[in-house]
Each structure stands twice: as C-alpha cells, then as structure tokens.
Amino acid sequence: MAKLRHSFRSLFLLLATVTGAAAVSVAAARDPLPRWWSPGEGRVFPEELDYENGDGTLRLLLTGGKLETNGHPFFEPIGSNGRACVTCHQPADAMSLSAQSARERWDATGGKDPLFAAYDGSNCPSLPQGERASHSLLLDRGLIRIERAWPVREWNGKPVTPDFSITVVRDPNGCNSGPDRGPKHGNISVYRRPRPVANMKYLLAVGFPFDPKQGYALPIDPRTGQMMSGNIMADNRTGTLRLQMEDAGSTHLEMLKHLDEADISRIEEFEKRIFTAQQVSKEAGALDTLGAKGGPAHLRDSEPGALGSIGEPVWSEFAKWEDISPEDAKTLTPAQLAFRQSVARGAKVFRERTFLISDSAGINSRIGFGNPVRNSCVFCHNMSQMGNDVAPGQVDLGTTTMPFADPMPDLPLFRITCLKAPHPHYGREFYTMDPGFALTTGRCADVGKITLQSMRGLAARPPYFSNGLAGDLRGVVDYYDRRYDIGYTEQEKRDLVNLMSVL
C-alpha cells in the first residue's frame, strides 16, 4: 500500500511539473513584446498597440493598417551610430523618450545601446563614455544634447547677425568651453527633451496666417507652398517634417549622406499615421466610457477645423463625467466615480481658473495683451483635444531663464547681453540655461522662448518641460503655481494632475 501511495504521489508530482511547465510556456507565449524598440528588429507595427505606464495604459493607433518595419527608414539604423528614428521616439513613451526608459536601457545594455551615442546621448563627446555620470542628463532628465551654430542661421540657412552676445558662465559638462566647443568656436550646446512624433495632423494645422506673437507672416514651405505651423521643433529651427528629418539625420543619426526622397516620404507618411493618447486610467478605468471621449480614436477620427481646433472647448471630452447619473454611477466603484469627477473638475480649472500672466515674452510683449494679462491655462493651451497653442509662435514661460527657472546646476548657464534694445522683461543683461528660439532668430527678445507641446500621452513620457524641469505631473502644476503666483488650492492641484494623467 505504501508503495502504491508513493507511486501515486510520484505520478502527481510528475503531472504537476509537466502542467506547470506547460503553464509557464503558455504564459511566456502570451508575454508582450519588449517595450523597447531597437533599430532593425523588423517587428510588425500593429494597428493598435497598448503599453502600461504609472497612470494606466497608453494606446497607439496606426491608420491604414499594420506596418512591416523591416527596411522602413524610421525603424532602420540608417546612420553611422546605429540609431534609428525610433531610438528617441519610442512607442511606449508616446513616440517620445522618457528618462525611465533611458535608465532601463542603460541597465539592460551596460550603456552600450546606440541611444547613448557620444555625439548627443552623452553630456559631451569629450567625456569618458563608459561612465554613467557622462550620460546623467539623458538618464536623469531625459535630455538630448542639441548643438546649434553661433552666430545663428535661420531655418532656411540665411545668416543672421544676432543683437545679443552670449557668455558661458557655467559649463558643468565641458561642451561650451572645451578646446573646440562653445561660442568662441562657432557652436552652443543646449539640452532638451525629444518631442513626440504623433497626432501630427493637429501639430501641422495652421491656426493663423501670421505669427501673432511676433507680428510676422508665417513662412511658406517652398516645396508645397503651404504655411508652416511652427509647432514641430522646440526652437522652430525647422518648419516642416522634411526639414526636421534632415536636421535629425545629420545630427542625431550622424548620417554621412542626406536622406533620399523615398526615405523622407516613408517616414513622413508613418508619422502622419500615428495617433496616441492615454486609453485606460488606473483610477478611472476606460477613458472612452460614460460619455467621455478619451483615448486616441477621437483624435484619429476628428479633423482640425477653424484656428486649428474642432470648435470644442479644450478637454471638454471629459465634461460628462462632472455629473454622472446615479444609474451610471452604479457601474463604478466609489473611487472610480470620485476620480472621474476630479478629472472633470480639473478640465474646468484648466479652462476657467484665471490668474495674472506676467513677464512672459510671446504673451505679454508684441501680442498686444498687456503686462500682466488675466487669463487661464487655456489662454495658451487652447487646441481642442491637444492642448498646444493654435496661434503659431514661441512663448517664454521662464523654465530656462532666471529668475523664474529652478536651479539646475547640471545644465550650462549663459549670460545674455542685449546689444540694442533691452529684453522686454529681463533687461539688458540676464542669465539663461537655454536661449531657445533666439538661437534661431538671433533676437534678444526671443531668448527663453520655446514652442508649446501637445499635452497628449503625458503619463507615458516624464519628465516635463523642454529641459526636464518637472519630474512628474505635480511638478508641472507646482511650477505654474509658483511662476504666476496663482494660489491653487490643494484640491485644484490634484484635479489638474488627475486631468493630465488621463490625456
């Protein structure tokens, strides 16, 4: 009998082992593909793609069917450093790049991934590339080094005589004062976040026939004859997707030759097909239920209308969550109901909570609103469903320029001296970590101006602002609260953060 019991026990253990192995095998087969897209993998980009993040699930939608990425120039390492466009525009990061993804990639590859190419994936090419400290700006703030010519040239290559001088005051990384780098050697290094390449039909929409922040007519794309929206690059150094590709190819990809026409067309087509937004909230559930229109499908299926919007108040897609019926409320947990109501309140705070906007070039100067002017977040973040500005032009929020910027001693600091008229808000001499749009125009009045971004997919791509100043969404709200002395209540801050987490 004992032997029989022992035989049954052995058989049970064997079956359990086999069944367990099969379960592990099935689980492995169901595991999602790796989050990181490496150049040349040859994956298929599906019509619908979801990625988890700290606030829920991001969704990407690709119009026109799935895409075979094998041989596609957006996904292939067409430059000399092994990178592809996808290296800095990762699907899981809403087609941008989060600092967390950079850190995970460093740990996974020991810093050998092409992302960390010496040219701009390190704080400076002259630093020892195997050390983490040499890549700290990318790993801690998600920043890529941008080298601009000095004196500047406009987007069309036209030389500009700047009306300001620039002096390096602090250079912690050596890329503005080395033996062959810095203003004395014809270049300036600044550090910025990669901008997302998604929802492009909104970013390319032209809201005005002129730039109301500068008072100039919009430049015309000589190839198409169409006006340029000015929403592509942080400093507007390129006005079209094609020019942006050429700029990226010669710098970030370190290409030895220009992209050919076929490659440019394929990349442009892909970028115009991608739509992305948060689809599911950990706290609220699906974002396209109970009357809401969250997620990327509404973006995909709508068209920019007058002034680059579709005529709906910004973030009104969550308005119906403000008064959820008792019957619908029964389908939610109390926590889900409370969170959805918070999102709806956050949208109202965004649109209706006014404050004094002061000393912000691009708003309080040239545009004619006066200094200060009372308005709300929607004054600049006004495009329906997107949150960028329908009015072309760049704005200085103070995120890179003293006295408003937070101390960021790991970034360079420049002294700007206006050679003609003083800056309208900073005076004749002031300090900045990134001259921004002024590196494109050569005008002192443009120092610190940056192109506003889309607010979609924020949860997938921290940190925030062009220089990574805010590590999380609460940091964004806190910065604005300090900068403009708004006086948000704690509830208003939570509501705004909850709103941004579902975009």
Side-chain angles (χ1 to χ4, degrees), residues 179-248:
D180 60 348
R181 297 184 184 277
K184 295 180 180 179
H185 300 281
N187 56 74
I188 293 173
S189 288
V190 294
Y191 300 82
R192 298 176 185 154
R193 299 281 291 114
R195 296 171 71 88
V197 289
N199 309 322
M200 294 305 301
K201 70 178 176 183
Y202 296 92
L203 297 179
L204 296 175
V206 175
F208 289 81
F210 63 95
D211 177 350
K213 300 178 178 68
Q214 306 294 323
Y216 297 148
L218 288 185
I220 301 295
D221 179 0
R223 181 179 175 277
T224 65
Q226 300 297 312
M227 290 182 289
M228 303 182 193
S229 71
N231 281 328
I232 295 177
M233 302 291 282
D235 56 14
N236 200 30
R237 65 183 182 273
T238 62
T240 69
L241 288 179
R242 288 169 173 259
L243 291 172
Q244 185 275 330
M245 291 175 214
E246 292 179 2
D247 178 85

Side-chain angles (χ1 to χ4, degrees), residues 60 80 98 159 322 374 481:
L60 300 101
S80 63
S98 69
E322 186 175 8
R374 179 171 288 280
D481 193 45

Side-chain angles (χ1 to χ4, degrees), residues 77-155:
I78 54 180
S80 63
N81 58 18
R83 284 181 180 168
C85 303
V86 74
T87 301
C88 293
H89 299 285
Q90 289 287 318
D93 296 342
M95 302 306 291
S96 177
L97 179 69
S98 69
Q100 180 180 342
S101 289
R103 290 191 293 269
E104 291 173 354
R105 202 63 191 156
W106 178 273
D107 293 339
T109 67
K112 303 299 184 183
D113 192 90
L115 172 64
F116 306 107
Y119 175 75
D120 59 0
S122 68
N123 300 353
C124 192
S126 60
L127 297 174
Q129 295 301 302
E131 297 181 8
R132 187 194 188 283
S134 300
H135 304 266
S136 60
L137 293 176
L138 176 54
L139 295 169
D140 298 336
R141 298 189 186 275
L143 303 178
I144 294 290
R145 188 178 72 90
I146 308 293
E147 186 172 284
R148 297 299 314 273
W150 182 261
V152 303
R153 290 180 176 270
E154 291 185 354
W155 64 271

Side-chain angles (χ1 to χ4, degrees), residues 136-345:
S136 60
L137 293 176
L138 176 54
L139 295 169
D140 298 336
R141 298 189 186 275
L143 303 178
I144 294 290
R145 188 178 72 90
I146 308 293
E147 186 172 284
R148 297 299 314 273
W150 182 261
V152 303
R153 290 180 176 270
E154 291 185 354
W155 64 271
N156 58 6
K158 179 182 177 181
V160 176
T161 300
D163 67 0
F164 66 94
S165 65
I166 186 165
T167 304
V168 179
V169 175
R170 179 181 70 210
D171 187 30
N173 305 300
C175 251
N176 284 293
S177 57
D180 60 348
R181 297 184 184 277
K184 295 180 180 179
H185 300 281
N187 56 74
I188 293 173
S189 288
V190 294
Y191 300 82
R192 298 176 185 154
R193 299 281 291 114
R195 296 171 71 88
V197 289
N199 309 322
M200 294 305 301
K201 70 178 176 183
Y202 296 92
L203 297 179
L204 296 175
V206 175
F208 289 81
F210 63 95
D211 177 350
K213 300 178 178 68
Q214 306 294 323
Y216 297 148
L218 288 185
I220 301 295
D221 179 0
R223 181 179 175 277
T224 65
Q226 300 297 312
M227 290 182 289
M228 303 182 193
S229 71
N231 281 328
I232 295 177
M233 302 291 282
D235 56 14
N236 200 30
R237 65 183 182 273
T238 62
T240 69
L241 288 179
R242 288 169 173 259
L243 291 172
Q244 185 275 330
M245 291 175 214
E246 292 179 2
D247 178 85
S250 62
T251 57
H252 307 310
L253 300 181
E254 297 183 89
M255 292 183 63
L256 302 179
K257 62 179 182 178
H258 290 293
L259 287 165
D260 62 32
E261 182 65 25
D263 285 341
I264 289 175
S265 295
R266 293 178 73 191
I267 295 173
E268 183 176 25
E269 178 194 35
F270 170 73
E271 291 179 348
K272 289 182 176 180
R273 291 172 58 191
I274 283 287
F275 294 87
T276 187
Q278 197 80 342
Q279 177 68 28
V280 177
S281 164
K282 282 186 176 179
E283 303 296 333
L287 298 173
D288 56 358
T289 58
L290 300 186
K293 297 178 181 177
H298 194 45
L299 285 168
R300 177 197 61 194
D301 298 337
S302 301
E303 291 295 334
L307 297 184
S309 74
I310 59 171
E312 298 176 357
V314 67
W315 312 140
S316 60
E317 47 263 64
F318 300 106
K320 291 189 176 180
W321 281 359
E322 186 175 8
D323 296 307
I324 296 176
S325 70
E327 182 178 348
D328 286 338
K330 292 178 182 179
T331 66
L332 304 171
T333 67
Q336 287 176 327
L337 177 62
F339 191 89
R340 290 183 180 219
Q341 292 171 333
S342 174
V343 168
R345 288 195 305 268

Side-chain angles (χ1 to χ4, degrees), residues 343-376:
V343 168
R345 288 195 305 268
K348 291 189 70 173
V349 170
F350 194 92
R351 292 191 300 269
E352 300 175 12
R353 176 68 153 87
T354 63
F355 50 90
L356 292 177
I357 303 169
S358 60
D359 299 327
S360 297
I363 301 175
N364 302 116
S365 56
R366 284 189 174 271
I367 202 169
F369 288 111
N371 186 25
V373 59
R374 179 171 288 280
N375 216 298
S376 65

